[in-house]
Amino acid sequence: MLIKLTRQVLPQIHNLSKALLVTTASGRNNFQLKQRNLMMASAADFERIDGKAALAEKILADLQSQIEAIRKAAIQSAGLEEEQQLIKENEELRKEIESVKTALFLAEVGNGVHQVQLPTKAALSAFSTQKLNTSDSVQVTNQVKQESVPQSSQQATEKKIEDSGKKTKQKESNSGEPVNNKKAKKENVEDSKNAGDTSLKKKANAENDSGEGTVDVSRLDLRIGKIVSVEKHPDADSLYVEKVDVGEGHHRTVVSGLVKHVPINAMKDRIAVFMCNLKPAKMRGVLSEGMIMCASGAEKTEILVPPTDSVIGDRVTCEEYPGTPDVQLNPKKKIWETLKPDVRTNADRVATYKGAPLLIKGKGVIVAPTLANTQIS
């Protein structure tokens, strides 16, 4: 029974083993095929991925170069804007500093602080680089000789005059002629000289007065002067009596009604503008030979201030109205009275004639310390 059962089961087991072997072989083949396909697909994907990666790197490099160019352009633009802003701020600071310096100068002048002119950089440079070579020394020597000749001739002339005077005196003493006649002759000689000068002045005045249509600010002799001494008028509490140097070799006497407006310590050594061709006139017994120019407001009067580098004798002019000033203004023509309404300070406190600034050529304009749109007198 057992043997019979075994014989029946063994073929079935054998067949089952064959089927199992066939199934196993088929499965192995399918696995290998799938593995092979998977490997082939992975290689193509890898190639595609590599291509995309290279393209991405190229795009990234282009973007980085573009970003760098934009960054440099932005930095350059920001730098230009910042530079322009700094230039603008520097210009504003310079103007502010000039304004503060001007205000300080006016305040010092108003308080009587003496201003000392310092040499400019250009003057120092010119002085330091100046060299006197042989040709210059020869030129200087020749110039000295040329200058010495007129001086020696002048001395000789003076000696001849003195000798002739002595001889005349001896003749007068011998002839018994009074000394008064000699003085009279001398006075006649001086009078003839003065008469010649007067005739020249009259001629110049006649030339100026001949043109009725040329009455403008150029007729005024406005010059820079320095008050070397000042004192109160002995007979008038509101007047100062000043001695003024306007570059003529002697001092002029000027009487000013500024006692109530400017303290006396602010007057001495002051640099100001003076009208020098008014006809001398007595003011409470003192002969005044000029007028100090001031801006006159309703409540106060201020002395006009010339440029800081002005020197004694500088002439104040108006470029829009060129001309030669009268030697002396004719009071009958009332030239100053005619011009006065148009001589004013403008909104910037600059002294003007009919809106044209009064100035010293190459140095600057004349200003008032604080008064704007005000009459000048």
Side-chain angles (χ1 to χ4, degrees):
M1 183 76 178
L2 182 57
I3 295 171
K4 186 178 179 178
L5 181 62
T6 303
R7 288 178 179 176
Q8 293 177 355
V9 173
L10 284 174
Q12 294 179 358
I13 293 172
H14 181 69
N15 292 331
L16 183 62
S17 298
K18 285 183 178 181
L20 182 61
L21 289 172
V22 171
T23 303
T24 303
S26 177
R28 185 182 299 113
N29 291 334
N30 290 333
F31 176 75
Q32 290 177 354
L33 181 61
K34 288 180 180 180
Q35 186 177 10
R36 191 180 300 113
N37 293 334
L38 180 62
M39 291 178 64
M40 292 177 64
S42 298
D45 291 339
F46 286 153
E47 290 179 358
R48 186 170 64 254
I49 290 171
D50 288 340
K52 290 183 178 179
L55 181 61
E57 289 179 356
K58 183 178 179 182
I59 293 172
L60 183 60
D62 292 340
L63 289 174
Q64 287 179 346
S65 62
Q66 292 178 5
I67 290 172
E68 183 67 20
I70 293 172
R71 185 180 67 83
K72 290 181 179 180
I75 292 173
Q76 185 176 4
S77 177
L80 290 175
E81 292 179 358
E82 185 176 0
E83 182 179 0
Q84 292 176 356
Q85 182 66 23
L86 289 174
I87 292 174
K88 184 178 179 181
E89 291 178 357
N90 288 339
E91 183 64 20
E92 292 176 354
L93 287 174
R94 186 187 66 79
K95 291 180 179 179
E96 185 177 354
I97 290 171
E98 290 295 330
S99 176
V100 172
K101 287 171 63 178
T102 302
L104 178 60
F105 170 74
L106 295 176
E108 288 181 343
V109 171
N111 290 314
V113 178
H114 178 59
Q115 302 295 317
V116 179
Q117 180 183 354
L118 298 177
T120 61
K121 291 183 179 180
L124 291 174
S125 177
F127 179 77
S128 62
T129 56
Q130 185 179 7
K131 293 181 179 180
L132 189 64
N133 53 22
T134 306
S135 60
D136 291 338
S137 62
V138 172
Q139 184 178 0
V140 171
T141 305
N142 292 334
Q143 184 177 0
V144 171
K145 290 181 179 179
Q146 291 175 358
E147 291 178 353
S148 62
V149 170
Q151 185 176 2
S152 60
S153 62
Q154 182 180 1
Q155 291 176 352
T157 304
E158 292 177 354
K159 187 175 181 181
K160 288 180 180 178
I161 294 173
E162 185 178 357
D163 292 340
S164 63
K166 290 180 179 179
K167 291 179 180 179
T168 304
K169 185 176 180 181
Q170 290 176 356
K171 289 181 179 179
E172 289 175 354
S173 61
N174 293 330
S175 61
E177 184 179 358
V179 180
N180 290 335
N181 291 337
K182 179 211 171 215
K183 291 183 179 180
K185 290 181 180 180
K186 185 177 180 181
E187 288 176 357
N188 290 333
V189 173
E190 293 178 353
D191 290 341
S192 63
K193 292 181 180 179
N194 294 331
D197 295 338
T198 305
S199 63
L200 291 175
K201 291 181 180 180
K202 287 182 179 180
K203 184 177 179 182
N205 284 333
E207 290 176 354
N208 288 325
D209 292 340
S210 61
E212 295 297 335
T214 59
V215 179
D216 58 44
V217 72
S218 67
R219 303 282 293 273
L220 306 180
D221 185 6
L222 299 175
R223 276 183 272 165
I224 301 302
K226 179 181 179 181
I227 301 175
V228 296
S229 66
V230 58
E231 59 184 11
K232 286 188 176 182
H233 195 292
D235 299 324
D237 295 335
S238 62
L239 300 178
Y240 285 131
V241 178
E242 305 130 27
K243 294 296 183 181
V244 180
D245 181 7
V246 291
E248 297 174 321
H250 64 275
H251 297 160
R252 289 191 178 212
T253 300
V254 176
V255 180
S256 307
L258 296 175
V259 173
K260 296 180 181 179
H261 303 283
V262 183
I264 193 168
N265 60 352
M267 294 289 292
K268 189 176 181 181
D269 295 329
R270 184 154 189 162
I271 304 296
V273 180
F274 293 87
M275 189 186 299
C276 299
N277 60 344
L278 289 173
K279 184 177 181 180
K282 285 190 175 182
M283 299 181 67
R284 301 294 292 271
V286 177
L287 186 66
S288 180
E289 301 172 295
M291 180 174 69
I292 188 169
M293 304 304 291
C294 301
S296 302
E299 298 181 355
K300 63 178 178 179
T301 298
E302 297 176 340
I303 299 174
L304 295 181
V305 180
T308 54
D309 55 348
S310 303
V311 297
I312 296 172
D314 279 348
R315 186 175 168 221
V316 178
T317 61
C318 184
E319 292 183 348
E320 286 78 356
Y321 299 91
T324 303
D326 294 12
V327 176
Q328 187 178 101
L329 295 177
N330 188 344
K332 295 180 180 180
K333 299 291 183 178
K334 297 187 179 298
I335 295 174
W336 168 236
E337 289 77 6
T338 303
L339 300 175
K340 183 177 178 180
D342 295 317
V343 183
R344 302 176 56 85
T345 60
N346 63 13
D348 296 324
R349 300 177 287 105
V350 176
T352 66
Y353 171 71
K354 291 186 176 181
L358 302 180
L359 51 82
I360 299 175
K361 290 182 179 179
K363 297 182 179 181
V365 296
I366 308 298
V367 298
T370 62
L371 293 176
N373 299 316
T374 307
Q375 179 69 59
I376 293 176
S377 60

